[in-house]
Amino acid sequence: MRKTTGEAAGRGGWLVPALVLLVLILVVLSLALGPVRLSLGEAAAALVADRGGASLIVREIRLPRALLAVMIGAVFGLAGGALQGLLRNPLAEPSVFGASQSAALGAVVVLYFGIAEVYSALLPVAAIAGAFLSVALVVLAAGPRAGTVLLVLAGLVISSLAGAATALAISLSPNPFAVTEIVFWLMGSLEDRTMRHVALAAPFAAVAVTMLLACGGGLRALALGEDAAASLGVDLRRLRLLVVAGSAVGVGASVAVAGSIGFVGLVAPHLVRPLVGHDPKRALLPSALAGAALLTAADCVVRLVPSTTEVKLGVLTALVGVPFFLWIILRRRAELAEMPA
Amino acid sequence: MSAGTPSAHSLTAQDLAVSLAGRAILSEVDCALHPGELLALLGPNGAGKTTLVRALAGLLPPAAGQVRLGGRDLAALGRHERARAIAYLPQGGTVAWPLPVKAVVALGRLPHGAEPDALAPGDHAAVARAMRATDIEALAERSVLALSGGERARVLLARALAVEAGVLLCDEPVATLDPQHQLAVMDVLKAEARQGRAVAVVMHDLALAARFADRIAILKGGRLVAQGAPREVLTRAGVAHAFAVEALVEERDDGLLVLPWRLPR
């Protein structure tokens, strides 16, 4: 029998239930928001019982959107937490690595050649391949002592390259209508998604979450550095592969159905880490839940902004995420300057 | 045998060679580390001391020869078994996150399958012993990033002690400490050896090595150039040959005094 120390239960034991509750509330809010305004009670009732038109709207139009926001937010939050733990760097995040852009490139190539219409499962596969390449390249380039400068530069190079290649694909496209489609899709949105999108992304998201949650113990030991972690019995190669592949599968599948949505994976782990005593393992699940809450909330906000066309979700997360990124850099400037490049 | 002292085995390097990025760092190293002894690994900068302890810890594959733990090839040991048998303290270690000191020390229990945030009583006791030995009990709840360099070095040593492995390998554990804590840490390592552990320490301080080590091994240019009791190895001629300095060597009632004094004229 293991005796759980009181302080462990006291410190952050409430966090997971609280975050689950927050996500549920936001999901109901997300079901209530739209051109047809429903109260929270009406939305919940329309979901569980047949309420005619309201049920149709809630179940067919808004539920897929809410499910995708939870799923994608959780995947990004978890991937951010795992990558930050692996690289021992608070600025690591899939979109900082160019993973979203590279996944988008993979998806655009498939869209461009029209393969996606024939075989839809190829879209997430191509996006995952793009994401895997970029994350693996950045992790390799960063090396064992991932200096911030090197990380950010490697990420910048890869996202620029992916962005340029995507732009090339777009300008070569013979169909101007397809161009508009691709450009809007690149900005990232959950508008007009169906259960088909949920079914397409869900298996990949489940695989990603399983892989990333299995990394906790290794990430914990890695707080001491690679040599010390290896001396404690951590298989570093397996850990690296799990984090990189898990992030790529999750990010790729997310981008395939929702376009490029960044910075959730940067923000979510930062919000929960102080609440779990900065333990990289105990931060994982709360990071996923916080990511789900953040993205669901953001997807509610884009529907509340008065505008002719809906504000794109990816645009909003970047507008909030980039200043946050800067804030972390400023707050940790002294510390980051010491890190070897 | 006091609580937490496992059965230790000898750790031996046989004709060991190690290459890093195609460059030979160590060659033909034969040395043994026995339970109950404190071995000081000395040598000029770049002699291969860190590479040798990493290879002894099983973290670097030998290019030739082998490292054996109690007669078994280290490379054939499982990762977890090796982690329970050999504790390793890297040089100048840092901690990535502002973890509480106690949580850092508790990481030493990972090889025993412990969850650092829900320690079993046995793991708890091991962490408490390690913190008492290194005199960091008062820091238990402090963030490890808020500590002075000397305090952090002791916390990381406590992390390695908490493994309670039969073999303890420390890479420059006293380099950043003030004189009082240098002596305190050497006392701790000596006590670990007296409890039956095999302890090897990489260091630069000849005075501390002469005073505390049971045996001394000197590396130079990737080869062992001397090995034996401090009195046999740290002679004026021995120091001059290994380090190219003139040393004061004095036999005192309470030990051997060796002090690097000046460059040879």
Side-chain angles (χ1 to χ4, degrees):
Chain A
M1 268 297 283
R2 287 199 185 286
K3 195 191 87 188
T4 307
T5 49
E7 75 221 78
R11 199 201 297 144
W14 50 269
L15 185 61
V16 169
L19 284 170
V20 169
L21 187 67
L22 178 64
V23 171
L24 287 177
I25 293 172
L26 286 166
V27 164
V28 177
L29 181 66
S30 167
L31 295 180
L33 283 176
V36 180
R37 290 281 159 104
L38 302 170
S39 74
L40 292 184
E42 284 165 353
L47 180 66
V48 292
D50 195 350
R51 295 284 161 89
S55 282
L56 197 68
I57 293 173
V58 166
R59 290 180 189 172
E60 298 295 321
I61 298 173
R62 296 184 189 169
L63 184 61
R65 183 171 191 161
L67 288 177
L68 282 176
V70 168
M71 195 161 76
I72 293 170
V75 160
F76 272 101
L78 195 53
L83 283 168
Q84 289 173 16
L86 179 71
L87 294 165
R88 316 203 307 148
N89 194 305
L91 295 176
E93 203 255 346
S95 61
V96 175
F97 288 6
S100 301
Q101 293 84 340
S102 307
L105 172 63
V108 164
V109 168
V110 170
L111 286 177
Y112 176 72
F113 288 109
I115 310 168
E117 285 146 40
V118 186
Y119 188 52
S120 62
L122 209 61
L123 191 65
V125 170
I128 288 167
F132 185 85
L133 260 181
S134 73
V135 180
L137 271 176
V138 173
V139 169
L140 276 180
R145 272 176 286 275
T148 301
V149 176
L150 198 59
L151 262 186
V152 173
L153 284 181
L156 182 70
V157 167
I158 287 168
S159 41
S160 306
L161 186 64
T166 307
L168 181 69
I170 290 170
S171 41
L172 290 179
S173 172
N175 180 350
F177 187 68
V179 170
T180 333
E181 283 284 283
I182 289 176
V183 168
F184 267 110
W185 175 82
L186 275 178
M187 287 183 194
S189 169
L190 294 174
E191 227 180 328
D192 301 330
R193 298 303 191 269
T194 64
M195 279 299 179
R196 212 175 54 81
H197 292 102
V198 177
L200 193 63
F204 295 105
V207 169
V209 167
T210 311
M211 287 170 86
L212 292 173
L213 282 179
C215 296
L219 295 179
R220 199 173 240 171
L222 210 52
L224 297 168
E226 296 209 335
D227 258 4
S231 82
L232 288 169
V234 174
D235 186 343
L236 290 176
R237 205 177 302 173
R238 178 175 167 273
L239 181 68
R240 261 185 231 118
L241 187 68
L242 266 180
V243 173
V244 170
S247 305
V249 168
V251 170
S254 301
V255 170
V257 294
S260 148
I261 293 168
F263 295 99
V264 175
L266 178 76
V267 178
H270 277 273
L271 296 182
V272 299
R273 202 174 281 124
L275 304 175
V276 296
H278 297 270
D279 183 320
K281 179 178 184 177
R282 274 193 292 147
L284 283 182
L285 186 58
S287 293
L289 292 168
L294 279 175
L295 198 61
T296 312
D299 191 42
C300 292
V301 171
V302 293
R303 278 177 277 173
L304 289 172
V305 176
S307 60
T308 44
T309 60
E310 195 175 291
V311 177
K312 295 291 171 190
L313 185 58
V315 174
L316 179 71
T317 60
L319 281 177
V320 177
V322 173
F324 191 86
F325 187 85
L326 265 177
W327 176 69
I328 297 170
I329 292 181
L330 291 177
R331 206 172 49 120
R332 303 185 42 133
R333 193 161 37 182
E335 215 174 305
L336 292 170
E338 272 177 33
M339 286 187 178
Chain B
M1 203 188 274
S2 81
T5 308
S7 59
H9 296 291
S10 294
L11 188 65
T12 50
Q14 294 173 349
D15 194 27
L16 179 69
V18 176
S19 300
L20 293 176
R23 202 162 66 90
I25 306 291
L26 292 177
S27 35
E28 295 168 19
V29 172
D30 279 286
C31 72
L33 175 63
H34 301 295
E37 75 169 355
L38 175 62
L39 171 74
L41 263 174
L42 306 178
N45 289 331
K49 302 183 294 295
T50 294
T51 304
L52 178 56
V53 276
R54 289 183 71 206
L56 288 175
L59 303 178
L60 286 176
Q66 56 178 216
V67 178
R68 298 179 80 84
L69 179 69
R72 294 169 68 191
D73 187 352
L74 199 56
L77 238 60
R79 275 196 324 280
H80 299 290
E81 196 181 346
R82 189 199 69 213
R84 283 191 294 273
I86 304 176
Y88 168 58
L89 175 66
Q91 181 181 359
T94 55
V95 181
W97 310 106
L99 294 166
V101 163
K102 205 161 65 180
V104 174
V105 178
L107 290 174
R109 300 308 294 170
L110 284 175
H112 303 273
E115 288 289 330
D117 50 356
L119 291 177
D123 296 316
H124 224 56
V127 169
R129 273 194 295 275
M131 293 182 65
R132 199 176 320 124
T134 49
D135 191 23
I136 56 166
E137 287 157 306
L139 308 175
E141 302 299 332
R142 295 264 302 276
S143 155
V144 70
L145 295 187
L147 303 179
S148 73
E151 287 169 333
R152 190 173 63 211
R154 281 184 287 142
V155 170
L156 293 173
L157 173 63
R159 196 285 301 162
L161 293 183
V163 180
E164 303 205 323
V167 178
L168 176 61
L169 306 173
C170 298
D171 199 347
E172 299 207 16
V174 296
T176 58
L177 301 183
D178 59 43
Q180 189 206 347
H181 284 110
Q182 287 192 344
L183 291 172
V185 164
M186 291 311 293
D187 269 339
V188 170
L189 295 174
K190 188 83 172 181
E192 293 293 317
R194 288 297 167 264
Q195 283 177 36
R197 295 201 163 85
V199 183
V201 185
V202 171
M203 51 201 301
H204 278 299
D205 191 319
L206 300 184
L208 284 178
R211 168 121 163 62
F212 284 92
D214 298 306
R215 224 151 46 78
I216 285 180
I218 300 181
L219 270 176
K220 191 180 175 185
R223 288 166 191 273
L224 272 181
V225 292
Q227 203 174 171
R231 277 180 185 76
E232 300 162 17
V233 175
L234 293 180
T235 57
R236 284 176 56 100
V239 172
H241 171 65
F243 297 97
V245 295
E246 279 183 21
L248 296 181
V249 178
E250 188 186 318
E251 189 69 53
R252 295 168 48 92
D253 295 341
D254 55 351
L256 178 70
L257 174 71
V258 177
L259 207 56
W261 197 247
R262 61 183 161 213
L263 294 173
R265 281 174 294 189

